[in-house]
Amino acid sequence: MIEARYLDIGGALGFVEIVTPDHRNTDHRDVETLPAILCIHTAGQSGVQWRHVARDLANRGYRVIVPDLPGHGRSEPAPSGPVTSIVDYGDWLCNVLDALGIERPYVIGCSIGGKLTLELATRPERPLSGAIAMEAEAGPGRVNVNGLRRELEDVAGPARAERTYLGTLASVGRSVPEGKAHLIALMHKREDPEISSSDLIGWGTHDVRDRLNQVTAPLHVVAGRDDPWIVVDEIARVAEVVNETSPGRARFTVLDGIGHYPMEEMDDFAGLVDTWIGELKQSARSEEVVL
C-alpha cells in the first residue's frame, strides 16, 4: 500500500510517501509496529528513485518512508529559497519524522542522501536503529563550489537537461544494461537546475569527519566501484574511523560494476538492503551483549 501525504514543515508543504506491505488484511496497528526505513534521494532528484525498492522493501516487512526534499519532486520550495546546507536538510527530515511519530528509524540514502544519512547518524540527540550511507564520503564532496555558485546565476540554459542526461549516463556502472541506463538518465532529466546546483553546494561543503566518533547506531557505508563522484578508499576510511572508537560498529561494501545510483542500477536491490539491515540488527545485538 502507498499512502501519499503533504506535511506542513516550516511553513511549506513537504511530500512523503509511506509504503507498507501490500496485504489487504494487514491491520493498521500491525503496520505501525513494522521497522521504519527512511529512504533519501540524490541531488536534484526525488523519491521516485526509490519507486521499485520501496515497494519491495515494504513487502519484506518494513514501513518505508520516502520524502521529497524541499523544492524536489512534489514538495514545495523552502520558504527561504533553495537549500545549500545538508544540516538544514537534516533538520527538515527530523521534522518529517516527528510529524509521522517515527523514532529510531533505519536510514538509507545515496549521494547527498548518503551525506544526509551520515548527518543523521551523528546526532546523539536523535539516535537511529541503523544507517546505510551510499556514495558519500564524510568530508566535503569533490565539486567546484565557486563554479556552482556562478552557475546559479544562469541556471536556465537549454543545454542543462542534456548535460544532466549525459552526466547520469557517465555515472552509471558498466554492469547496467543500456536500456536501464537510458531510463535512469531520462528520469533524471526532470530535475530543477537551481535545486540540483544548490544541492551540490551542500555536497561540496558538508563535513562530518569530526563527528564520526558520535555515530549513534551500526553503520554500513557503500561505494559503487564505477562511481566517478567518490573515492572508494575514502568511503572505506569512514568505516575504519568509526571502528577505531567503536570496534565492529561500521562495515564497508564495494559494489563492482555499479556507479552512483545503486538503488536504480541493481536488480533486487531491496533484497540486498534487507540483508544489510539484518546485519545491522545483529551488530546492534552484539553491542548490547558487550554493554
Side-chain angles (χ1 to χ4, degrees):
M1 293 176 57
I2 300 177
E3 178 186 0
R5 289 196 198 178
Y6 283 98
L7 306 173
D8 189 339
I9 306 293
L13 293 180
F15 179 80
V16 59
E17 283 187 346
I18 304 168
V19 189
T20 53
D22 192 17
H23 301 149
R24 294 179 182 272
N25 297 323
T26 300
D27 187 274
H28 174 73
R29 291 167 296 181
D30 293 335
V31 167
E32 294 294 323
T33 66
L34 295 175
I37 306 177
L38 176 67
C39 298
I40 313 173
H41 60 74
T42 70
Q45 298 299 315
S46 72
V48 73
Q49 289 182 299
W50 294 95
R51 62 194 181 278
H52 299 299
V53 177
R55 177 196 60 205
D56 293 343
L57 279 174
N59 287 330
R60 289 175 178 269
Y62 298 96
R63 182 164 47 131
V64 186
I65 313 302
V66 187
D68 292 345
L69 293 171
H72 300 70
R74 285 184 271 182
S75 286
E76 292 181 346
S80 58
V83 178
T84 58
S85 166
I86 298 297
V87 174
D88 288 348
Y89 274 145
D91 293 342
W92 186 87
L93 286 170
C94 286
N95 288 332
V96 168
L97 293 172
D98 286 343
L100 296 175
I102 294 174
E103 297 181 356
R104 292 181 177 268
Y106 291 93
V107 178
I108 180 170
C110 184
S111 188
I112 67 160
K115 280 188 167 289
L116 271 163
T117 301
L118 293 175
E119 171 66 29
L120 295 177
T122 53
R123 294 187 174 197
E125 72 279 9
R126 298 293 299 255
L128 306 178
S129 288
I132 302 170
M134 304 189 297
E135 316 306 328
E137 300 164 19
R142 289 167 174 76
V143 295
N144 184 334
V145 173
N146 289 332
L148 286 165
R149 293 191 187 280
R150 288 196 300 272
E151 188 172 279
L152 283 175
E153 299 174 5
D154 183 22
V155 296
R160 177 60 185 257
E162 292 307 314
R163 294 205 306 273
T164 297
Y165 174 84
L166 294 172
T168 298
L169 287 182
S171 299
V172 167
R174 70 190 75 182
S175 69
V176 181
E178 182 178 352
K180 176 178 276 191
H182 174 63
L183 177 60
I184 294 170
L186 284 179
M187 295 293 287
H188 286 200
K189 283 177 66 175
R190 302 176 178 190
E191 71 181 27
D192 181 328
E194 185 176 18
I195 295 296
S196 57
S197 291
S198 298
D199 283 353
L200 290 175
I201 290 172
W203 164 272
T205 55
H206 188 250
D207 192 341
V208 296
R209 286 175 294 184
D210 63 346
R211 287 194 276 146
L212 290 177
N213 62 345
Q214 302 179 50
V215 168
T216 64
L219 171 69
H220 194 148
V221 290
V222 178
R225 180 80 71 186
D226 294 348
D227 186 347
W229 287 85
I230 52 94
V231 174
V232 171
D233 289 345
E234 287 297 318
I235 292 183
R237 179 62 181 155
V238 174
E240 293 172 1
V241 171
V242 171
N243 288 332
E244 287 172 1
T245 303
S246 303
R249 172 159 276 203
R251 65 179 62 207
F252 165 69
T253 293
V254 64
L255 303 172
D256 288 324
I258 298 300
H260 196 61
Y261 312 100
M263 67 283 194
E264 295 182 280
E265 297 178 39
M266 299 181 70
D267 295 330
D268 192 27
F269 186 67
L272 185 56
V273 173
D274 189 33
T275 297
W276 289 343
I277 289 179
E279 294 168 348
L280 294 175
K281 290 178 180 177
Q282 181 60 46
S283 179
R285 286 193 291 267
S286 299
E287 289 183 8
E288 289 174 0
V289 170
V290 171
L291 292 175

